[in-house]
Amino acid sequence: NAGVTQTPKFQVLKTGQSMTLQCAQDMNHNSMYWYRQDPGMGLRLIYYSASEGTTDKGEVPNGYNVSRLNKREFSLRLESAAPSQTSVYFCASRARAPDTEAFFGQGTRLTVV
Amino acid sequence: GNSVTQMEGPVTLSEEAFLTINCTYTATGYPSLFWYVQYPGEGLQLLLKATKADDKGSNKGFEATYRKETTSFHLEKGSVQVSDSAVYFCALSESGGFKTIFGAGTRLFVKA
């Protein structure tokens, strides 16, 4: 079972470069999420998509854009990377009901130099 | 807004010791509450959950009870093992909403 698949697993960018993190889920979930994980900060929500065709800002959206390409795929784009965006990024998906668990990808470790 | 506060770590215990990791929350309505675990180099995975007041979630010897009167969801295990070493996250899902909100995480080290 693939679950949630993120690519790439590791990336090093120079300041000002752009990149897109890809995420796909095969569980037919309506909702998808992008989080960043920083030491001492836990997981902070960047953007989420409650259903296909909708996206909303989370706690820390500045410097990011997202696209819900279809029900399976939800991508995160950094248009002009900054060192403050060095982090581990996780994609997650969940069924619509709030009492259901979120399923996470393996994470993308991004370093911006 | 809704939030989750959990005890800071790291927590270091000897094998077979009793574990408590405190978690309190602020939320409107009736959120669902979760504990997730993250092993090194991996994503988060669900450990247990409770969806209404007084529910007890349990899994792999871990337990947590949804206490609405104290807005708490403390994680406990009677006898920890070295393999329990990981980061533990308390989380809530908003009732009627789509967001899952996480605490800062508590790192647990268990010594043999």
Side-chain angles (χ1 to χ4, degrees):
Chain A
N1 293 336
V4 179
T5 303
Q6 284 182 240
T7 55
K9 287 187 167 43
F10 300 94
Q11 184 72 48
V12 178
L13 289 179
K14 294 182 179 178
T15 297
Q17 286 185 318
S18 63
M19 78 163 294
T20 299
L21 281 64
Q22 307 286 352
C23 176
Q25 53 92 8
D26 61 2
M27 295 170 283
N28 201 36
H29 286 162
N30 286 302
S31 302
M32 297 186 73
Y33 307 82
W34 277 105
Y35 292 90
R36 59 179 288 174
Q37 182 179 25
D38 302 293
M41 306 288 287
L43 270 72
R44 292 184 291 170
L45 183 63
I46 305 171
Y47 270 93
Y48 67 101
S49 170
S51 60
E52 187 179 356
T54 70
T55 60
D56 285 285
K57 295 178 180 179
E59 285 179 81
V60 288
N62 291 345
Y64 306 95
N65 285 300
V66 290
S67 296
R68 183 74 182 265
L69 303 169
N70 47 56
K71 193 171 187 179
R72 291 187 64 246
E73 299 174 286
F74 188 41
S75 63
L76 177 72
R77 182 160 178 84
L78 286 69
E79 290 291 353
S80 178
S84 60
Q85 294 178 304
T86 294
S87 187
V88 181
Y89 292 85
F90 286 100
C91 177
S93 71
R94 201 192 80 185
R96 185 182 298 277
D99 61 349
T100 56
E101 69 178 284
F103 290 82
F104 284 79
Q106 294 284 301
T108 297
R109 185 173 293 276
L110 174 67
T111 302
V112 182
V113 298
Chain B
N2 297 338
S3 65
V4 175
T5 302
Q6 60 182 106
M7 65 187 287
E8 291 187 22
V11 174
T12 302
L13 296 173
S14 298
E15 208 165 23
E16 299 184 4
F18 185 86
L19 169 70
T20 300
I21 301 178
N22 291 335
C23 171
T24 57
Y25 68 90
T26 301
T28 55
Y30 301 93
S32 295
L33 301 176
F34 304 82
W35 278 100
Y36 286 84
V37 59
Q38 183 182 32
Y39 298 103
E42 299 184 8
L44 280 70
Q45 56 187 276
L46 180 69
L47 180 60
L48 54 84
K49 71 177 184 181
T51 59
K52 61 183 188 295
D54 300 325
D55 266 2
K56 177 186 283 189
S58 61
N59 185 26
K60 300 181 182 179
F62 291 89
E63 294 183 338
T65 301
Y66 189 142
R67 301 284 188 203
K68 191 161 178 64
E69 63 276 13
T70 54
T71 62
S72 65
F73 192 54
H74 304 321
L75 182 68
E76 296 182 336
K77 187 175 186 184
S79 176
V80 293
Q81 305 301 312
V82 172
S83 57
D84 294 327
S85 298
V87 181
Y88 293 82
F89 291 89
C90 185
L92 69 83
S93 285
E94 302 172 325
S95 58
F98 297 97
K99 290 190 281 187
T100 301
I101 296 167
F102 289 84
T106 302
R107 184 175 295 276
L108 171 66
F109 293 104
V110 180
K111 302 180 297 184

